[in-house]
Amino acid sequence: MRKKELLGLILLVLGGGGIYLSVSNGPPQYLYLTAARDISPGQVVESQDFSQQSLHLAKASSHYVSGSAPVTGHRALRRISRGELVPRDALSSTTEVEQRHLLTFTVAKSDLPRGLKIGDLIDIYFFTIPYWLS
């Protein structure tokens, strides 16, 4: 074989090996949560309501919920569609400790707190007055 042919063959093998190594060492995959079903605002969610999805989103951890995050007992703050990647602001940051129930009622527009808009969730607590204070 001539020197040029031998050099070309060596460069071809090195180039093929470089391409193989660059493809086999792809970027690491990160686990994020996606909704396994439609979730309505105010619902308390469980871990089975979500599925883990492996994605190439390295810098998305500040925007989306990690696949290893504990979500059982948290409340949905907005509607999450089935298959949607779950944003951090879609779930409450604390676990529900009380049993809460949805109560729908009408409030006069003049009695609305400032900054409250349609779809916002509010908590209303009812307390019984002890008999010795009444």
Side-chain angles (χ1 to χ4, degrees), residues 22-81:
S22 68
V23 170
S24 66
N25 292 333
Q29 297 205 358
Y30 300 89
L31 289 175
Y32 294 102
L33 291 181
T34 57
R37 63 175 183 85
D38 288 336
I39 301 171
S40 301
Q43 281 186 326
V44 176
V45 294
E46 301 293 327
S47 58
Q48 65 263 22
D49 294 331
F50 302 99
S51 60
Q52 294 182 350
Q53 181 140 1
S54 181
L55 301 169
H56 294 289
L57 298 174
K59 296 184 180 183
S61 62
S62 61
H63 302 293
Y64 299 106
V65 178
S66 169
S68 61
V71 293
T72 300
H74 292 251
R75 186 175 290 275
L77 299 176
R78 68 168 183 82
R79 180 172 170 24
I80 304 170
S81 300

